[in-house]
């Protein structure tokens, strides 16, 4: 009966198309709550959600906290710095301490890839990956799928262009897997320093150097937030040059299908990766993404906590 | 007089081009005779080896014994216990201890500690530069007099090419060997695994093969420039194998080693963020793995060395990005190398050469041969024996091995140094004493 058997939400790589559809359907039914005057329902009363954030993130944490509160769960937040190696409080110490307080779900954000996976070995509670290093950010990908399905009615057979730092973006990693699993064609493009070297394919997406090729006939354009530096290395000569050659301008949008959705995980560097006219244009669904983020996170919490 | 005769052994000694079934006589700690059918002296015990392998005691030219400084990971005693359990009668230990082995005092301490507690012969490798900082050369002459047998900043490359050149020049006054940990640090910085398909999937920063190849090429060019004697540690990429192969054909004085994990595993072992598959250089691709095997086969790579690098849970049970590099290797080297023999890539003789006479020639230390009159440093291998690698089965203080829990085939069943059993878990040598 229950189509949802996952114990944790670690990444899109471990969710099946069936499970993804089930999450989207659940989110759809929960989204109504967000439109009501009294935005609170009781299913998670008595459950505790711990937000364990080792990296600053106002938006994602707010979205998760709101989702938990809408479902009447108790929430606790814990912010910390990723501990330095050996002898300090290790991640495992932290995990075991929090586990001793018997939470039901731990929502984790961490600067190092694979840390939520490590956490699952030390806790009994369910773990939701709220972004780990440059690996995955599954709730973002799910809300992106949800937003596209809401606007275009389906996901399969769409052409999705993802632009920006593909190599170092967990959003890109999750989005690529999410959209390809649901039957869309994904093409990625960006500055070559932000693409995997000499690979024509990444995680199932086609890699192209010419942005125009990615945009041509696209149904959906996802633009990623640009980080000028990664680990002290400059990936682009200047923000100015990036905006000129890799930013999404109104002209470039014209290459896509008319009415193509414009998406961005936020926060936007206006005038850098995306021109303001595009961000605020008629087909921008960027704010819908934010609203849908709460619905998706409500769905994840309720699916993990109300089964069996 | 103390004598015993091993009979019916498959005697493999590449130093004498021997691979035959026969007998070997040990007398007063010395190899007294090797032959197809030796007469049994009156007072000798007899051990019928029933076709098991009798080979020269193995030499691992690249281990980290962690003493002084990190005795919670390994000590000279525990590391050499692991060595003899793995069939090694001698190990060469890298200088990245705390403090670094960069002065005669530390070298003497290691040798003193070895004399009192080691189960195997210990040959200290001293640092090329003070504190392994890559700036000022250590006192090569004084260190050699104290007992150091080669120089390496292993764990780190010598970043400055001028300093590496100086080392290769100055070493020639003493005919000393320089061992290169080849890594272009600016290119590898922040990387935690091989750069490629798997690093993209796992969202981990990659270390491209070029990181190693640039450095191998640089050091080969410097050896060619100076005429110095260079050894490349832990070769892991196809390109590095090819650079060494070509250098050898030009007559450059260069040798190379690889570690069993580079011909046994690929980057795929990292899946699941397995910190026991994190090492420097990182595990590479299948193409690289096959090229490393090809190098062993055609002699581009001279030696198999384990890069035995013990770490405790503190360094390994943590986020992949923060985990320390390295795995233990002494107690798995025989079975992993035997896989290459079983799969027909190399002959038994090639395997034993890479683990005995070849490293001892490179380092210029005795051993690695069953010639009459040599010390009876011997290893008996049961190539068929299947065992499960477990924490309990390990003599090392650490258990950071990607093979933990796996079934392996082939192991040392008896190890002798100077004719005395230093590893004899089943008491093979107890029996003949009655004779
Ligand atoms: Zn090294």
């Amino acid at each position: 009966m229950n189509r949802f058997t996952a114990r944790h939400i670690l990444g899109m790589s471990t969710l099946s198309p069936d499970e993804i559809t089930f999450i989207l359907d659940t989110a759809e039914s929960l989204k109504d709550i967000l439109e009501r005057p009294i935005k609170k329902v009781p299913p998670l009363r008595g459950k505790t959600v711990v937000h364990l954030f080792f990296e600053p993130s106002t938006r994602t944490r707010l979205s998760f906290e709101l989702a938990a509160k809408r479902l009447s769960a108790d929430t606790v937040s814990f912010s910390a710095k990723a501990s330095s190696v050996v002898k300090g409080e290790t991640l495992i110490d932290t995990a075991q301490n929090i586990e001793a307080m018997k939470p039901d779900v731990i929502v984790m954000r961490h600067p190092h890839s694979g840390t939520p996976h490590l956490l699952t070995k030390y806790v009994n509670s369910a773990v939701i990956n709220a972004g780990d290093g440059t690996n995955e950010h599954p709730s973002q990908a799910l809300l992106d799928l949800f937003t596209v399905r809401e606007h275009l009615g389906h996901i399969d057979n769409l052409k999705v262009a993802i632009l920006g730092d593909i190599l170092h973006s967990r959003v890109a990693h999750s989005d690529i897997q999410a959209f390809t699993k649901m039957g869309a064609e994904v093409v990625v493009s960006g500055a070559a320093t932000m693409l995997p070297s000499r690979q024509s394919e990444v995680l199932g997406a086609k890699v192209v150097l010419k942005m125009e090729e990615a945009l041509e006939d696209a149904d959906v354009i996802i633009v990623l937030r640009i980080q000028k530096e990664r680990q002290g290395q400059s990936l682009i000569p200047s923000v100015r040059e990036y905006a000129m050659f890799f930013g999404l301008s109104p002209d470039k949008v014209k290459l896509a299908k008319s009415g193509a959705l414009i998406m961005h995980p936020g926060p936007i560097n206006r005038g850098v990766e995306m021109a303001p006219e595009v961000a605020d244009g008629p087909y921008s669904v960027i704010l819908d993404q934010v609203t849908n983020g709460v619905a998706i996170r409500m769905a994840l919490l309720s699916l993990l906590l109300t089964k069996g | 007089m103390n004598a015993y005769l091993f009979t019916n052994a498959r005697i493999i000694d590449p130093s004498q081009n021997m691979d035959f079934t026969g007998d070997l006589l040990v007398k007063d700690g010395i190899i007294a005779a090797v032959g197809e059918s030796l007469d049994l002296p009156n007072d000798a015990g007899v051990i019928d080896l029933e076709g098991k392998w009798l080979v020269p005691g193995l030499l691992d030219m690249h281990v980290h014994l962690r003493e002084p400084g990190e005795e919670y990971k390994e000590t000279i005693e525990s590391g050499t216990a692991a060595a003899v359990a793995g069939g090694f009668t001698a190990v060469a230990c890298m200088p990245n201890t705390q403090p670094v082995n960069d002065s005669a005092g530390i070298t003497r301490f290691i040798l003193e500690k070895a004399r009192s507690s080691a189960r195997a012969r210990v040959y200290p490798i001293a640092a090329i530069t003070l504190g392994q900082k890559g700036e000022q050369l250590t006192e090569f002459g004084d260190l050699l007099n104290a007992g150091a047998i080669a120089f390496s900043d292993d764990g780190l490359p010598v970043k400055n090419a001028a300093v590496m050149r100086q080392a290769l020049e100055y070493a020639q006054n003493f005919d000393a060997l320089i061992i290169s940990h080849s890594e272009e640090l600016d290119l590898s910085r922040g990387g935690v695994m091989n750069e490629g398909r798997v690093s993209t999937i796992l969202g981990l920063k990659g270390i491209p093969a070029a990181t190693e190849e640039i450095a191998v090429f640089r050091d080969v060019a410097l050896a060619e420039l100076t005429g110095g004697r260079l050894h490349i540690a832990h070769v892991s990429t196809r390109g590095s194998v090819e650079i060494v192969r070509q250098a050898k054909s030009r007559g450059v004085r260069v040798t190379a080693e690889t570690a069993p994990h580079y011909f046994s595993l690929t980057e795929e072992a990292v899946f699941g963020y397995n910190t026991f598959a994190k090492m420097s250089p990182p595990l590479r691709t299948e193409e690289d793995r096959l090229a490393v095997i090809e190098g062993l086969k055609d002699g581009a790579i001279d030696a198999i060395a384990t890069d035995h690098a013990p770490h405790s849970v503190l360094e390994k049970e943590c986020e992949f990005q923060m985990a320390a590099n390295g795995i233990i290797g002494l107690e798995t080297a025989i079975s992993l190398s035997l896989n290459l023999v079983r799969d027909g890539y190399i002959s038994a003789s090639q395997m034993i050469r890479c683990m005995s006479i070849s490293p001892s020639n490179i380092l210029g230390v005795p051993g690695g041969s069953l010639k009459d009159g040599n010390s009876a440093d011997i290893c008996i291998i049961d190539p068929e024996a299947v065992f499960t690698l477990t924490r309990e089965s390990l003599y090392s203080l650490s258990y950071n091995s990607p093979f933990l829990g796996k079934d392996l085939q082939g192991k040392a069943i008896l190890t002798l140094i100077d004719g005395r059993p230093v590893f004899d878990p089943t008491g093979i040598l107890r029996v003949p004493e009655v004779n």
Side-chain angles (χ1 to χ4, degrees):
Chain A
M1 172 68 209
N2 197 339
R3 289 155 71 197
F4 197 79
T5 52
R7 271 204 59 206
H8 309 288
I9 306 292
L10 295 177
M12 298 311 297
S13 63
T14 51
L15 289 171
S16 68
D18 257 8
E19 285 172 318
I20 294 169
T21 305
F22 195 56
I23 294 168
L24 301 184
D25 292 347
T26 308
E28 201 172 298
S29 64
L30 288 169
K31 194 182 169 184
D32 291 346
I33 298 166
L34 300 175
E35 311 295 338
R36 295 180 196 167
I38 295 172
K39 303 178 177 61
K40 193 159 180 159
V41 289
L44 300 190
R45 191 176 291 152
K47 302 282 187 185
T48 308
V49 180
V50 173
H51 297 99
L52 192 53
F53 276 58
F54 290 86
E55 201 180 63
S57 150
T58 323
R59 288 164 172 247
T60 304
R61 201 172 79 185
L62 214 62
S63 181
F64 267 108
E65 279 187 25
L66 214 55
K69 291 200 160 92
R70 296 281 183 257
L71 296 170
S72 306
D74 297 318
T75 67
V76 188
S77 279
F78 178 94
S79 305
K81 276 220 174 75
S83 68
S84 53
V85 217
V86 195
K87 315 280 164 114
E89 186 183 20
T90 67
L91 176 91
I92 292 159
D93 287 335
T94 310
Q96 286 171 341
N97 269 284
I98 287 173
E99 176 63 12
M101 300 172 202
K102 311 285 177 210
D104 298 288
V105 179
I106 300 176
V107 177
M108 180 187 236
R109 159 74 58 103
H110 199 281
H112 298 331
S113 302
T115 310
H117 308 66
L118 182 69
L119 182 68
T120 60
K121 293 180 190 156
Y122 297 92
V123 298
N124 290 313
S125 38
V127 174
I128 298 178
N129 179 2
D132 64 323
T134 52
N135 181 38
E136 285 225 47
H137 191 358
S139 60
Q140 177 71 43
L142 288 162
L143 75 88
D144 287 348
L145 288 176
F146 186 88
T147 306
V148 169
R149 195 176 80 163
E150 192 176 48
H151 284 270
L152 301 180
H154 66 107
I155 297 163
D156 57 313
N157 300 318
L158 294 177
K159 179 177 174 183
V160 179
I162 305 180
L163 309 175
D165 188 346
I166 305 303
L167 190 57
H168 307 105
S169 163
R170 54 191 170 215
V171 175
H173 290 182
S174 286
D175 268 343
I176 292 170
Q177 297 180 80
F179 281 97
T180 50
K181 272 190 183 180
M182 300 310 284
E185 178 201 359
V186 182
V187 183
V188 301
S189 188
T193 48
M194 300 169 171
L195 299 172
S197 294
R198 294 183 50 188
Q199 284 181 37
S200 56
E201 183 263 8
V202 55
L203 302 166
K206 190 175 167 198
V207 180
V208 297
L209 285 170
K210 290 209 188 332
M211 195 172 162
E212 293 76 13
E213 222 180 296
L215 288 170
E216 202 180 1
D217 285 325
D219 299 280
V220 177
I221 305 168
I222 299 174
V223 181
L224 303 170
R225 179 181 164 80
I226 203 68
Q227 274 183 295
K228 203 183 158 235
E229 291 202 343
R230 269 214 81 87
Q231 288 158 338
Q233 290 183 345
S234 194
L235 296 174
I236 48 168
S238 69
V239 167
R240 176 176 165 273
E241 171 141 314
Y242 189 86
M244 278 166 66
F245 290 89
F246 304 100
L248 188 66
S249 62
D251 273 357
K252 286 182 185 146
V253 174
K254 287 186 191 137
L255 296 167
K257 281 206 183 116
S258 84
L261 301 181
I262 308 292
M263 302 174 70
H264 190 295
I268 310 176
N269 297 303
R270 276 165 202 268
V272 182
E273 67 259 12
M274 191 184 276
E277 311 89 285
V278 177
D280 304 327
Y283 301 111
S284 165
V285 293
I286 295 169
L287 291 175
D288 295 3
Q289 287 175 273
V290 178
T291 309
N292 292 338
V294 179
I296 279 292
R297 288 161 182 136
M298 286 167 75
L300 293 178
L301 289 171
S302 72
L303 287 171
L304 288 173
L305 286 178
T306 57
K307 58 179 176 184
Chain B
M1 189 174 77
N2 182 353
Y4 35 88
L5 182 70
F6 292 103
T7 63
N8 202 15
R10 178 170 171 192
I11 296 172
I12 305 169
D13 180 11
S15 78
Q16 308 182 77
N17 287 317
M18 281 178 182
D19 183 355
F20 67 98
T21 301
D23 305 345
L24 182 140
L25 179 67
V26 175
K27 214 160 151 183
D28 293 332
I30 300 290
I31 294 168
V34 188
E36 293 206 344
S37 179
L38 299 179
D39 292 331
L40 175 64
N42 287 336
D43 46 0
V46 181
I47 302 121
D48 183 350
L49 287 178
E50 297 168 335
K52 295 193 176 58
W53 295 10
L54 188 158
V55 306
L58 306 178
L59 164 59
D60 189 344
M61 68 181 298
H62 190 148
V63 304
H64 298 272
L65 293 179
R66 304 298 188 210
E67 188 175 0
E70 292 181 303
E71 291 84 354
Y72 67 102
K73 296 180 178 178
E74 196 81 285
T75 61
I76 289 170
E77 182 176 7
S78 67
T80 52
V84 295
F88 294 96
T89 52
V91 294
C93 57
M94 285 296 175
N96 60 340
T97 45
Q98 293 169 14
V100 169
N101 180 12
D102 60 2
S103 68
I106 309 291
T107 300
R108 277 194 289 269
F109 166 84
I110 292 167
L111 287 171
E112 205 46 58
K113 214 53 211 275
R115 250 187 295 282
S116 63
S117 69
R119 312 276 183 90
R121 300 182 195 276
V122 173
Y123 298 116
I125 295 168
I128 296 171
T129 62
L130 288 176
Q132 295 191 297
K133 291 204 177 79
E135 293 158 6
Q136 177 67 45
L137 293 190
T138 57
E139 296 173 329
F140 286 9
D142 200 31
L143 283 157
L144 290 164
N145 279 343
I149 48 100
F151 298 90
S152 179
D153 274 359
D154 186 55
L156 291 168
V158 176
K159 189 168 163 52
N160 184 326
V163 175
M164 190 60 162
R165 173 195 180 158
Q166 221 185 358
L168 283 159
E169 303 265 28
Y170 187 62
Q172 291 174 75
N173 285 100
F174 308 95
D175 192 28
L177 177 73
I178 300 292
I179 302 175
S180 161
H181 167 114
S182 306
E183 179 178 358
E184 210 300 304
L185 279 182
D186 288 322
L187 195 55
S188 64
R189 184 159 298 120
V192 293
M193 70 170 296
N194 184 49
E195 178 176 313
R197 193 181 66 86
V198 179
S199 69
T200 307
I201 293 174
L202 291 174
L204 293 171
K205 181 160 162 58
I207 301 170
T211 301
E212 176 176 319
E213 290 153 5
I214 288 167
V216 171
F217 193 88
R218 183 199 77 171
D219 288 351
V220 161
L222 291 173
E224 199 160 12
L225 169 71
T226 60
R229 211 148 59 80
L230 175 72
H231 177 77
I232 307 290
H234 41 56
V235 165
S236 76
T237 79
R238 186 179 61 83
S240 300
V241 177
E242 189 51 34
I243 293 164
V244 172
R245 185 180 285 130
Q246 286 181 13
K248 283 182 169 180
S249 73
R250 291 198 304 277
V252 183
R253 298 170 81 196
V254 61
T255 52
E257 76 191 30
T258 191
H261 36 276
Y262 300 117
F263 58 69
S264 304
L265 298 173
T266 66
E267 57 182 356
E268 309 263 327
V270 178
F271 275 120
Y273 300 96
N274 178 10
T275 59
F276 285 0
K278 182 178 178 184
M279 59 225 27
S280 169
L283 295 171
R284 304 287 187 181
T285 64
E286 179 65 4
E287 189 194 4
D288 294 304
R289 188 183 78 86
L290 294 172
V292 164
I293 294 173
E294 199 52 42
L296 285 167
K297 205 166 152 177
D298 69 13
I301 297 175
D302 306 86
I304 296 172
T306 68
D307 197 2
H308 181 80
H311 288 294
S312 80
V313 287
L314 289 175
E315 296 83 19
K316 282 295 195 182
E317 250 180 84
C318 59
E319 299 92 313
F320 192 87
Q321 196 150 332
M322 290 179 160
N325 284 315
I327 62 168
I328 55 168
L330 285 165
E331 296 171 74
T332 48
I334 286 180
S335 56
L336 297 175
S337 303
L338 264 168
N339 283 338
L340 298 185
V341 178
R342 276 188 284 265
D343 294 343
Y345 287 117
I346 58 173
S347 67
S349 180
Q350 277 174 310
M351 165 187 156
I352 300 302
R353 176 187 298 276
C354 288
M355 301 173 84
S356 59
I357 188 66
S358 184
S360 79
N361 282 343
I362 293 168
L363 292 176
V365 298
S369 168
L370 300 174
K371 284 203 179 95
D372 291 3
N374 274 14
S375 297
D377 289 10
I378 290 171
C379 168
I380 311 288
I381 295 171
D382 180 347
E384 306 300 329
V386 173
F387 67 104
T388 310
L389 193 76
T390 63
R391 282 172 68 166
E392 296 69 35
S393 75
L394 286 163
Y395 286 80
S396 172
L397 281 185
S398 297
Y399 55 88
N400 51 311
S401 168
F403 303 101
L404 200 70
K406 302 250 159 48
D407 284 341
L408 299 171
Q409 191 179 14
K411 62 175 187 174
I413 54 169
L414 173 66
T415 308
L416 305 176
I417 293 180
D418 287 330
R420 279 178 294 105
V422 286
F423 176 71
D424 186 10
T426 57
I428 297 172
L429 274 198
R430 274 202 306 271
V431 189
E433 295 295 336
V434 285
N435 195 312

